Amino acid sequence: MIRDASRLNGIPGALIHGRFDVSGPLSTAWQLHKRWTTSRLHILEDAGHGGGNEFMPLVIRTLAEFGKL
């Protein structure tokens, strides 16, 4: 549950969310991000639930960054 997300603090993470995702509102990702202080929230401005054209390149970049930790 989001209220328990602070248990993840100290564990790096990335949240990637399409602004126009109607099945999972952006507010949910935002609330999770605020409680999981070591997460990064990436908002895809022109995407919905499918992620759009920016999604896969962002996933690859993010995984590469985590690989350097």
Side-chain angles (χ1 to χ4, degrees):
M1 299 186 86
I2 290 177
R3 71 171 180 250
D4 297 324
S6 63
R7 294 179 181 182
L8 297 170
N9 291 339
I11 301 170
L15 306 166
I16 301 173
H17 199 284
R19 180 171 297 284
F20 302 113
D21 184 348
V22 294
S23 63
L26 180 56
S27 62
T28 303
W30 176 252
Q31 290 171 14
L32 174 59
H33 170 63
K34 294 318 271 175
R35 287 171 178 78
W36 183 8
T37 58
T38 52
S39 71
R40 288 181 273 164
L41 176 60
H42 302 276
I43 301 170
L44 302 176
E45 295 295 335
D46 64 345
H49 189 74
N53 294 333
E54 296 177 57
F55 179 72
M56 195 50 70
L58 180 56
V59 168
I60 292 167
R61 276 196 319 271
T62 302
L63 288 173
E65 290 172 12
F66 282 119
K68 294 175 185 176
L69 294 179

